[in-house]
Amino acid sequence: MSKNVETQPVVEVLVNTSFEETRIAILENERVNELVWERRGALNIVGNIYKGTVENVLPGISSAFLNIGYEKNAYLYISDVIGTDKKNIDKVLHKGQEVMVQVVKDAISTKGMKVTMDVTLPGRYLVLTPHQSFVGVSKNIESAEVRHKLNEVVQDLAAKHLNGMGCIVRTEAEEATHDELEREVKYLYRQWQSILKKFETSRSPKLLHEDMDAVLQVARDVLSENVQVYLLDNKNDYERVRDFVEKNSPDLENRVQLYKGKTPIFEAYNIEPEIDNLRKIKLPLPNGGSIIIQEAESLCAIDVNTGKFTGNKSQEETVTQTNIEAANEIAHQLRLRNIGGIIVIDFIDMRKASSRRRVLEALSQAVQGDRAKIRILPITKLGLVEMTRERKRASTGSFISEECPECHGSGRVLSAESMRIKIQREIYDLTNGRPGGNLRVVLHPMLAEAIKNHQDDIEQNIHRTLKIQADPQLAWEDYKIVLE
């Protein structure tokens, strides 16, 4: 069972562990394609399995809410309920019922975590599906011969060891031996039996199974023949990963290495500038165009602009080329920033259907390496593309930043001109337009400089002498008017 390694990217995994957080950068062909973040004390519960209690069943929205031990109740939709058989949710679940669920999506903003009763247990080569009976093989294994052989081997192992349960064969199993697959089937079965025993003997709410932390998850899900090095700067993490790989993939053990350089690992590999760029809204394209990414709570809008790029061919070809460049960069940024949910891309208008088809094909090809599930709808005549990207956790941007206290999330503040007119109007209202007396206005330093340029006009309008004072402690839209 061999892969076509010629078309596979060269992957490097860099892990930086500090007192408060672990950051993991996954590079493909020396470019950062993915960032994984984990902070001490923060809830990282995707993949965890719980015994929960049904708190409410709402037939109107085909959903139930469960107490799994956190401040917010977990959300369970009818399609994630085992045993519905097209029944209404209130015919299957009732208040006070205890059920086993797995977290599939973190709590985001005001929404609680999303859970499913269709529990799965991932291993390196296989994913155990206790509530399913079929054996599936990853579509990422391209060889029909390899897929057929793996299916036969795992079908036999499932019949022998899984007692009617099913499993999914992961891409990493492409070069796994029969012994390795059998060892993992037995291990996952034992793990499931342990979870069942805890469920039967514990009181709700109860954590039944905790998924691996980020360092081991990446080792399990990403480390393969394509990974040139898994480099960690923390000795404890290095030893944990080394031990895990030694037990599960001993042939890859030499890929796991301890970083001993004096320069911090993310500085040495120039990762920090990539992290700084995560908050940028406007990103340049190679030929002078640009994309603008604007995240909202319910969707992400991306706009494509030609900028200075005029090309040396027809306008249609220039626009198409810019859109193709944008498609590649958008796929990269979605993965890098972990943007999920509904995404709307406004490509530059193209007249020809063939041009629109080329852009859509470029986008579809560019997202192939993404580990998240993606669905792309056909491009419209206006150049709009709607797509969805699986969201399990909040985007990296919302994880590392918060709402601006000055603009309150709008991304904009009043202009200096608007502020000048507003202050002038407020002064006029305070004095009722009567002349005489002095006034002092205390402002943000940059705003103070801008208003000084119009001081004569303001004094003439308000019929008073005005003193302008800068205060660096004030926010842009804050100011004080003092009557003297």
Side-chain angles (χ1 to χ4, degrees):
M1 302 178 187
S2 60
K3 291 182 182 180
N4 180 12
V5 296
E6 294 180 0
T7 59
Q8 299 295 328
V10 176
V11 180
E12 299 167 284
V13 181
L14 310 176
V15 183
N16 166 236
T17 302
S18 62
F19 299 109
E20 299 292 337
E21 67 181 6
T22 296
R23 302 181 298 173
I24 304 173
I26 301 172
L27 286 71
E28 294 184 4
N29 298 330
E30 299 186 346
R31 188 183 189 193
V32 184
N33 259 18
E34 195 171 337
L35 285 165
V36 180
W37 230 289
E38 190 171 74
R39 285 184 177 159
R40 315 288 178 266
L43 281 179
N44 296 293
I45 62 173
V46 172
N48 288 1
I49 300 173
Y50 295 86
K51 182 175 186 177
T53 303
V54 177
E55 293 286 324
N56 294 299
V57 180
L58 304 176
I61 57 172
S62 301
S63 304
F65 291 89
L66 285 73
N67 175 15
I68 61 171
Y70 296 99
E71 184 180 349
K72 292 179 181 176
N73 284 339
Y75 166 75
L76 176 66
Y77 188 61
I78 192 167
S79 60
D80 294 307
V81 177
I82 296 296
T84 52
D85 295 326
K86 297 184 180 179
K87 298 177 185 176
N88 291 334
I89 195 166
D90 57 334
K91 301 298 182 184
V92 184
L93 298 176
H94 57 82
K95 184 172 178 155
Q97 184 176 347
E98 294 181 332
V99 294
M100 183 191 298
V101 292
Q102 184 172 35
V103 178
V104 293
K105 187 186 294 184
D106 259 336
I108 298 174
S109 186
T110 57
K111 299 175 183 176
M113 59 286 292
K114 187 174 186 287
V115 296
T116 180
M117 290 173 63
D118 192 9
V119 173
T120 59
L121 280 180
R124 174 158 180 77
Y125 303 117
L126 307 165
V127 178
L128 181 68
T129 54
H131 300 298
Q132 310 290 341
S133 58
F134 70 92
V135 172
V137 180
S138 169
K139 294 178 182 178
N140 291 330
I141 298 176
E142 296 178 359
S143 169
E145 182 183 349
V146 172
R147 287 169 59 85
H148 179 70
K149 187 173 181 180
L150 277 171
N151 187 61
E152 284 189 336
V153 169
V154 178
Q155 287 276 11
D156 289 342
L157 291 174
K160 185 177 179 182
H161 300 291
L162 293 184
N163 195 26
M165 292 185 291
C167 63
I168 298 168
V169 182
R170 305 183 68 179
T171 310
E172 286 74 12
E174 190 166 355
E175 297 183 11
T177 65
H178 183 280
D179 288 346
E180 287 173 331
L181 293 172
E182 185 168 32
R183 185 164 59 243
E184 184 153 289
V185 165
K186 290 179 177 178
Y187 167 74
L188 292 173
Y189 181 78
R190 287 196 304 271
Q191 196 175 45
W192 175 243
Q193 293 305 310
S194 173
I195 291 169
L196 281 178
K197 188 175 180 180
K198 286 183 185 177
F199 179 79
E200 292 165 0
T201 58
S202 61
R203 295 180 62 184
S204 172
K206 175 71 175 179
L207 172 64
L208 304 176
H209 169 75
E210 187 171 11
D211 202 7
M212 296 173 172
D213 63 14
V215 172
L216 290 179
Q217 276 187 39
V218 172
R220 180 190 69 197
D221 299 341
V222 177
L223 188 57
S224 66
E225 287 293 335
N226 296 330
V227 177
Q228 199 170 56
V229 65
Y230 194 114
L231 193 59
L232 305 100
D233 66 358
N234 179 276
K235 192 171 183 181
N236 288 336
D237 285 345
Y238 162 75
E239 289 173 351
R240 288 194 304 122
V241 172
R242 187 93 180 195
D243 181 60
F244 173 80
V245 175
E246 185 181 4
K247 291 176 181 175
N248 294 276
S249 303
D251 54 318
L252 298 175
E253 188 182 353
N254 64 333
R255 310 288 175 96
V256 182
Q257 298 176 19
L258 180 64
Y259 178 74
K260 298 178 180 178
K262 292 183 179 179
T263 305
I265 187 170
F266 272 26
E267 286 186 27
Y269 285 84
N270 207 33
I271 308 297
E272 296 293 358
E274 290 279 0
I275 293 174
D276 291 338
N277 288 337
L278 288 176
R279 291 185 294 123
K280 287 185 177 178
I281 293 176
K282 187 174 182 178
L283 297 164
L285 297 173
N287 281 325
S290 64
I291 60 173
I292 296 172
I293 302 175
Q294 294 180 307
E295 284 187 74
E297 187 173 328
S298 57
L299 61 80
C300 175
I302 302 176
D303 188 33
V304 182
N305 299 304
T306 52
K308 299 177 182 177
F309 182 49
T310 56
N312 51 18
K313 296 183 180 179
S314 67
Q315 181 183 0
E316 179 77 5
E317 184 60 31
T318 299
V319 165
T320 304
Q321 190 175 338
T322 302
N323 281 337
I324 290 173
E325 279 187 3
N328 287 305
E329 184 61 27
I330 287 167
H332 173 70
Q333 290 297 328
L334 292 178
R335 188 175 171 190
L336 183 64
R337 297 176 184 224
N338 192 29
I339 296 172
I342 300 170
I343 298 149
V344 179
I345 307 169
D346 184 7
F347 285 107
I348 306 164
D349 291 351
M350 295 165 285
R351 291 191 298 273
K352 297 180 180 177
S354 59
S355 300
R356 295 193 289 272
R357 193 161 50 246
R358 282 173 60 194
V359 172
L360 197 64
E361 287 171 358
L363 181 61
S364 300
Q365 185 63 36
V367 301
Q368 288 298 311
D370 200 322
R371 292 192 290 151
K373 294 176 185 175
I374 289 175
R375 180 171 177 242
I376 302 173
L377 297 180
I379 192 168
T380 69
K381 290 184 178 181
L382 293 176
L384 291 175
V385 168
E386 294 176 58
M387 62 182 287
T388 59
R389 184 176 184 272
E390 181 183 27
R391 174 161 58 187
K392 291 186 177 181
R393 295 182 173 87
S395 70
T396 304
S398 61
F399 180 76
I400 65 173
S401 62
E402 61 185 22
E403 184 179 281
C404 169
E406 293 196 29
C407 71
H408 304 292
S410 71
R412 305 181 71 83
V413 292
L414 288 175
S415 66
E417 181 75 357
S418 296
M419 286 297 296
R420 179 180 69 80
I421 294 170
K422 181 182 179 183
I423 292 168
Q424 184 175 285
R425 181 170 58 245
E426 188 169 333
I427 291 172
Y428 191 86
D429 291 343
L430 279 172
T431 62
N432 291 319
R434 291 193 297 268
N438 300 326
L439 282 170
R440 178 161 54 94
V441 180
V442 188
L443 307 154
H444 182 282
M446 290 178 63
L447 188 55
E449 283 300 314
I451 287 183
K452 279 180 182 177
N453 294 330
H454 297 273
Q455 187 168 353
D456 291 343
D457 293 336
I458 296 172
E459 289 179 342
Q460 185 175 347
N461 290 334
I462 65 174
H463 311 299
R464 293 184 180 233
T465 303
L466 184 65
K467 181 180 179 182
I468 299 171
Q469 179 182 337
D471 183 352
Q473 300 300 318
L474 289 178
W476 177 262
E477 291 189 12
D478 288 343
Y479 56 89
K480 301 173 186 174
I481 301 172
V482 182
L483 296 171
E484 296 182 331

